[in-house]
Amino acid sequence: MKNINIIASALLFTTLVTAQNKDTKEADKLFDRLEYIDAAKAYTKLVEKGKADAYVYKQLGDSYYNVFNSKEAALWYAKAVETSQDAETHFRYAQMLKAEGDVKGAEAQMQKFAQMEPNDARAKAFKNNPNYLSQLKSQSKQYDIKKSDVSSEKADFGAVLTNNNELYFSSARNTARKQNGMDDQPYLDLYKATRNADGSLSQATEVAELNTRWHDGPAAITADGNTMYYGSESFNESEFQKDKAKKLKFGQIYLYKATKDGDKWSKGQALSFNNKEYSLRNPSISKDGKTLYFSSDMPGGQGGEDIWKVSVDGDSYGTPENLGPNVNTEANESFPSIQDDNILFFSSNGRQGFGGYDVFKYNTNTNEKASNVGEPVNSQKDDFAFSYNLVKNVGYFSSNRDGNDDIYQADA
């Protein structure tokens, strides 16, 4: 899954036997810069030189985990857990094994995770229902799916269809753009396609007036089609954090608002509750335009990235509210999408699923615990950014089940 959360923490736990040293300096620098592909290459060179240890193996596992190369991540996590590791490494290893179809191996790692963190909601869910996967597979199919013809050879995700048949999404397809170090793909831009009467999509074009030199998108559009909320980087506002020791600048994802100006969009304005200490991204706006949903790693959540909501009154915003444990876990929940009937779709890698990120739905009216939408929307890989337009009776979601983030169509 394309992760555009610009700032991240590489947590080093005291249970590790070894840690950073002079041999890992260059690789660690790349990892700290979130340049995971190059970091993996640098750590691999240490393996080839016979200078690897548990720390290097874990860093290799995390590097590949962060770009969802489940095969390589599982390989290196296997070596890392031969010595003492933190609980989260066992959880990540379990996720990667499940993504590779090794259910028994994943269960063994979840057992270790649950022993180490018995009070974690993920551990409790596993202990209460270790055979959940067979139950998920027995669910009735809710949607028919097919790959959308708007997908490219690069990452495409976060598609949302407006009531006037415009499909907005984020894409790395512009190869003239600078590549980002995280996954060696071009920076993301916002694109728009038109849905035709037969369900086909026109050739996508850039939303040039909103795209910047940084990552842009995904977006949410109000019901009247006149207001857009979208993500971009805090560097646009010259806001970032400095790590003087590592000579790095860390930005965040901020939320922006733009309004229709004829056939174009006005210049986006940063929302007032953005904060350079954390990211806010993946917006979705309610039918009445009064509630904005988004994901964030802001303090006060359940852990990792959570789903939040905030009241909207023109250009004024209330205090963000966490959606709580019926949605969020100690892991990551992201890509919220609110339907007109107040059903919220989101993706999670902390809830029981088929592997990687799965799509879940949550009834905001009843506040019942979120449920997995099942196959074929969900797979062993990352499945995310599900949105459904009830007026047009069609949905879209993203998945890397074929090795690349692609957009799929979902029909109920």
Side-chain angles (χ1 to χ4, degrees):
M1 181 182 72
K2 185 81 172 180
N3 188 336
I4 60 170
N5 196 8
I6 300 304
I7 189 169
S9 299
L11 302 177
L12 304 184
F13 294 86
T14 56
T15 53
L16 290 177
V17 176
T18 53
Q20 297 179 352
N21 56 55
K22 61 181 180 64
D23 293 325
T24 68
K25 183 177 179 180
E26 291 304 314
D28 291 334
K29 183 177 180 180
L30 291 166
F31 189 93
D32 290 341
R33 292 175 62 90
L34 313 186
E35 296 178 10
Y36 298 123
I37 298 297
D38 288 340
K41 293 176 182 177
Y43 288 123
T44 300
K45 287 182 180 179
L46 296 179
V47 175
E48 294 169 348
K49 292 177 181 179
K51 296 183 178 181
D53 53 25
Y55 171 76
V56 171
Y57 296 144
K58 180 185 182 298
Q59 290 297 96
L60 271 164
D62 284 346
S63 295
Y64 285 115
Y65 176 91
N66 285 325
V67 296
F68 202 84
N69 184 332
S70 54
K71 182 177 180 180
E72 289 294 325
L75 186 157
W76 295 111
Y77 280 144
K79 292 182 176 294
V81 299
E82 290 177 359
T83 56
S84 179
Q85 290 290 338
D86 57 278
E88 200 65 27
T89 296
H90 289 283
F91 179 80
R92 290 186 171 197
Y93 184 21
Q95 291 290 95
M96 296 298 95
L97 288 172
K98 190 161 52 172
E100 287 298 299
D102 185 355
V103 176
K104 290 186 176 181
E107 289 178 351
Q109 293 304 313
M110 282 301 297
Q111 289 283 5
K112 293 180 180 180
F113 171 76
Q115 291 171 2
M116 297 174 73
E117 294 288 343
N119 293 322
D120 190 292
R122 295 167 293 173
K124 291 179 179 178
F126 174 76
K127 297 295 286 186
N128 290 335
N129 189 16
N131 299 316
Y132 67 89
L133 196 55
S134 60
Q135 296 176 10
L136 290 178
K137 287 182 176 293
S138 67
Q139 288 183 187
S140 299
K141 183 173 69 171
Q142 298 184 42
Y143 302 94
D144 292 314
I145 70 167
K146 63 179 180 180
K147 186 179 289 188
S148 169
D149 51 10
V150 80
S151 293
S152 70
E153 294 180 354
K154 299 296 184 180
D156 305 289
F157 67 97
V160 58
L161 181 66
T162 69
N163 290 337
N164 62 346
N165 289 312
E166 293 178 334
L167 187 82
Y168 288 87
F169 63 97
S170 284
S171 177
R173 67 184 62 195
N174 186 354
T175 55
R177 291 268 269 140
K178 178 183 176 182
Q179 289 187 338
N180 76 85
M182 180 176 290
D183 57 6
D184 289 343
Q185 289 205 41
Y187 275 73
L188 295 164
D189 282 329
L190 277 167
Y191 280 79
K192 181 182 75 171
T194 300
R195 180 177 168 84
N196 301 313
D198 63 358
S200 64
L201 295 168
S202 69
Q203 183 175 351
T205 58
E206 288 186 54
V207 186
E209 63 270 29
L210 294 182
N211 288 329
T212 69
R213 60 182 295 196
W214 313 106
H215 286 302
D216 298 297
I221 314 294
T222 53
D224 62 10
N226 292 325
T227 303
M228 175 193 291
Y229 295 92
Y230 66 100
S232 191
E233 296 193 34
S234 63
F235 291 117
N236 293 312
E237 311 302 314
S238 298
E239 295 181 7
F240 48 82
Q241 292 178 302
K242 289 184 178 180
D243 188 324
K244 293 183 179 179
K246 296 177 179 178
K247 299 180 180 179
L248 296 176
K249 294 179 180 178
F250 290 104
Q252 303 286 359
I253 297 296
Y254 277 3
L255 290 178
Y256 286 78
K257 177 183 178 180
T259 56
K260 264 290 179 65
D261 185 10
D263 293 332
K264 301 289 184 179
W265 292 97
S266 65
K267 181 180 178 181
Q269 300 297 318
L271 301 193
S272 59
F273 57 97
N274 288 321
N275 192 305
K276 66 179 181 180
E277 299 292 328
Y278 45 80
S279 283
L280 299 93
R281 58 189 185 132
N282 303 323
S284 181
I285 188 72
S286 62
K287 182 180 180 180
D288 62 9
K290 295 182 178 181
T291 305
L292 181 68
Y293 293 84
F294 60 93
S295 59
S296 177
D297 58 344
M298 69 170 63
Q302 305 297 310
E305 186 177 9
D306 278 6
I307 308 297
W308 298 73
K309 67 178 181 179
V310 66
S311 61
V312 179
D313 184 7
D315 290 325
S316 298
Y317 303 90
T319 301
E321 300 176 45
N322 189 278
L323 264 61
N326 281 347
V327 170
N328 297 311
T329 69
E330 288 88 339
N332 296 307
E333 283 69 41
S334 193
F335 294 99
S337 179
I338 189 72
Q339 280 191 160
D340 288 353
D341 60 358
N342 293 322
I343 298 296
L344 181 76
F345 291 95
F346 66 95
S347 294
S348 172
N349 66 359
R351 294 189 168 276
Q352 293 181 327
F354 293 87
Y357 279 82
D358 270 19
V359 175
F360 291 79
K361 64 179 181 180
Y362 167 70
N363 191 326
T364 64
N365 293 321
T366 63
N367 199 32
E368 297 174 358
K369 187 176 180 180
S371 60
N372 192 299
V373 303
E375 296 175 316
V377 169
N378 289 323
S379 67
Q380 292 176 189
K381 305 299 183 179
D382 278 337
D383 308 292
F384 58 103
F386 186 100
S387 65
Y388 201 89
N389 187 307
L390 290 174
V391 175
K392 303 298 180 180
N393 197 30
V394 64
Y396 294 90
F397 70 99
S398 305
S399 177
N400 64 3
R401 65 189 64 187
D402 290 335
N404 188 51
D405 288 344
D406 290 315
I407 294 172
Y408 290 75
Q409 180 176 316
D411 296 291

